Amino acid sequence: MTKNDNNSQHRYWLQRCIDLAEQQSRTPGGGPFAALVVHAGELVAEGVNQVTGSNDPTAHAEVVAIRNACAQRNDFQLAGCVLYSSCEPCPMCLGAIYWARPDAVYYAATHAQAAKAGFDDSFIYEQIPLPGPERSIPFHPVALDSAEAPFDAWLANGERRDY
Amino acid sequence: MTKNDNNSQHRYWLQRCIDLAEQQSRTPGGGPFAALVVHAGELVAEGVNQVTGSNDPTAHAEVVAIRNACAQRNDFQLAGCVLYSSCEPCPMCLGAIYWARPDAVYYAATHAQAAKAGFDDSFIYEQIPLPGPERSIPFHPVALDSAEAPFDAWLANGERRDY
C-alpha cells in the first residue's frame, strides 16, 4: 500500500466517523462525536456519544467504540487495531486507549474546534499535573496501613490474569 | 461534624473499598481495585475492577462505580457525591471523575504502592503531555474540511441536552 492509499484510507474512516457524529448530534441522548475501531481494513465496531441518553458520563464515543470492539473480539486488548475518532480524544478517552492498546489513533477535529461548540477538554488536561488536593475536584490521599492488602492478595493469587 | 469525625468517616469508606478490592483480587475476572460513591453519608453504588472478566479495558473500579452510581441516581452527574477508591485513580479514571463531577475524591494506596504490584499508571501520565504523533500509541491529526460539521449540527439542534 502506498502512502497515498494509506492516507485516503484514513480519510475514508474519518469521514465515516464524521457522518456518524453528525447524525448523533441530531439524535436525542447523543452528542456530536463518533469513533470506529478498524482491524486489517475491516470495521470491527463503532461507538457514538451516549452520555445523556444512557446516564453514563463515561459513554464517550471512543470508550463506547472500545467496549464494543472488545466485546466483538472477545478480548480486552485491541492489538493490531486502529481507532478513528471524529475528534481529538479527551483525557478519559486517552487513558482508555492506553489500556486497550490499539496500534494507532487518527482523529479529525481538534480540541480547539470542539471548544468552539462548547466542549472544552483543555480544562481537564490542565488539572492533571496539579497536586491532587489543589484540583478543582480535590483528590485527597488518606494513608491506611491496610492499603496494600489488595495487592498482596493479588500477587498471592496464582490464578490471576494480568491485564 | 468535627474534623476528626470527618476523617474517621473517610477511613471507614476507604476500608470498605480496601476490603472489596482484596476480595476482588481473589475473584476470577477481577483485579485488586474497588471504589464507592457516597452521598450524604449513604452508599450510592460500588464498583470493582472487571477488566478481564468482562473483556472491557475501561471497567476500572472507579469507572464501574461511576456508571453504577449514575444508573442508580438516574443522572449523568454526581453532584453532592464523594468518590472513594482503594487506589489513586489512573488518567482514564481521573477523566471519568471530571466528567461525572463528584465533589471530591479520597483514595488509599498511591501510584507507587500500585506499581509494586505491577500496576504502573505513571507511564500513561508521562505520555499525556507529549505531542500526539510522538506518543507510544501515536495520535495523528488528519485535517478534513468536514471536521466541524457535527458541531454545526449540534449547535443547530434546538433540543440538544448539554452535558
Side-chain angles (χ1 to χ4, degrees), chain A residues 7 10-11 14-15 17-19 21-22 24-33 49 51-58 60 63 66-67 70-71 73-77 86-110 113-114 116-121 123-125 127-128 132 135-155 157 159-163, chain B residues 7 10-11 14-15 17-19 21-22 24-33 49 51-58 60 63 66-67 70-71 73-77 86-110 113-114 116-121 123-125 127-128 132 135-155 157 159-163:
Chain A
N7 192 35
H10 297 322
R11 287 174 177 273
L14 285 173
Q15 187 58 51
C17 288
I18 291 167
D19 291 344
E22 190 174 347
Q24 188 68 358
S25 70
R26 298 193 177 98
T27 303
F33 300 96
N49 183 290
V51 167
T52 62
S54 64
N55 280 327
D56 180 355
T58 75
H60 283 201
V63 166
I66 287 170
R67 283 183 205 154
C70 285
R73 286 161 53 98
N74 212 22
D75 193 355
F76 56 89
Q77 299 284 269
S86 61
C87 187
E88 192 171 359
C90 80
M92 175 179 71
C93 294
L94 181 152
I97 288 162
Y98 267 88
W99 292 118
R101 303 187 180 95
D103 289 359
V105 175
Y106 291 83
Y107 64 89
T110 63
Q113 289 176 302
K116 286 193 285 180
F119 297 95
D120 192 358
D121 303 342
F123 175 72
I124 303 180
Y125 277 108
Q127 292 286 307
I128 292 174
R135 293 183 184 136
S136 66
I137 299 174
F139 283 50
H140 298 292
V142 179
L144 270 83
D145 289 343
S146 54
E148 292 188 31
F151 302 132
D152 293 341
W154 175 254
L155 293 175
N157 175 359
E159 298 184 356
R160 72 175 184 272
R161 190 172 172 205
D162 290 325
Y163 59 92
Chain B
N7 192 36
H10 298 321
R11 287 174 176 273
L14 285 172
Q15 187 58 51
C17 288
I18 292 167
D19 292 344
E22 190 174 347
Q24 189 67 358
S25 70
R26 299 192 177 98
T27 303
F33 300 95
N49 183 290
V51 166
T52 62
S54 64
N55 280 328
D56 180 356
T58 74
H60 283 200
V63 167
I66 287 169
R67 283 182 204 153
C70 285
R73 287 162 53 96
N74 212 24
D75 193 353
F76 56 89
Q77 299 285 268
S86 61
C87 186
E88 192 171 0
C90 80
M92 174 179 72
C93 294
L94 181 152
I97 288 162
Y98 266 89
W99 291 119
R101 303 187 181 94
D103 289 358
V105 175
Y106 291 84
Y107 63 88
T110 63
Q113 289 176 302
K116 286 193 286 181
F119 297 96
D120 192 358
D121 304 342
F123 174 71
I124 303 180
Y125 277 109
Q127 291 286 306
I128 292 174
R135 293 183 184 136
S136 66
I137 298 175
F139 282 50
H140 298 291
V142 179
L144 271 83
D145 290 341
S146 55
E148 293 188 31
F151 302 132
D152 293 340
W154 174 255
L155 293 174
N157 176 358
E159 298 184 355
R160 72 175 184 272
R161 189 172 172 205
D162 291 324
Y163 59 92

